[in-house]
């Protein structure tokens, strides 16, 4: 059973930065589509960014130019660099990987943007 573990969340002031990590228990990211989602209280879960097996990336319009998704296959880790953070970026950020036709989820990491 593949396990995903997110880390790197925390409290940051508006305009600040964080780097989130999604580490996998097995070597899967080079052959998967990995997506960061976020869910704020009372709101639907939304796609933030994804990276496919070829390294092609896609971003939600709301984060384009501020967030960057990347992957380190040697470390079995996908990153999400968050910059120029806004209060509306506050949410639980979750990592999802589709590998061997199965979806895997992490437990999420809280990002709070507040002064």
């Amino acid at each position: 059973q593949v396990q995903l573990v997110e880390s790197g969340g925390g409290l940051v002031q508006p305009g600040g930065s964080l780097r989130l990590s999604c580490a996998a228990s097995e070597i899967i990211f080079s052959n998967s589509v990995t997506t960061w989602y976020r869910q704020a209280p009372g709101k639907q879960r939304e796609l933030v960014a994804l990276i496919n097996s070829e390294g092609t990336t896609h971003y939600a319009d709301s984060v384009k130019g501020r967030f960057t998704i990347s992957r380190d296959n040697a470390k079995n880790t996908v990153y999400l660099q968050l910059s120029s953070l806004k209060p509306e970026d506050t949410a639980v950020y979750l990592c999802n990987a589709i590998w061997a036709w199965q979806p895997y989820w992490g437990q999420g990491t809280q990002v709070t943007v507040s002064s």
Side-chain angles (χ1 to χ4, degrees), residues 2 46 76 79 82 96 109:
V2 175
E46 63 171 335
N76 299 334
Y79 302 99
L82 287 59
N96 168 274
T109 185

Side-chain angles (χ1 to χ4, degrees), residues 30 34-35 57 64 71 79 85 108:
S30 59
T34 308
T35 306
T57 58
K64 207 170 288 186
R71 184 176 67 212
Y79 302 99
L85 282 162

Side-chain angles (χ1 to χ4, degrees), residues 20-43:
L20 308 183
S21 299
C22 173
S25 58
E26 298 181 26
I27 301 174
I28 66 168
F29 289 134
S30 59
N31 292 298
S32 71
V33 177
T34 308
T35 306
W36 282 97
Y37 291 86
R38 67 185 180 186
Q39 186 158 21
K43 295 187 177 181

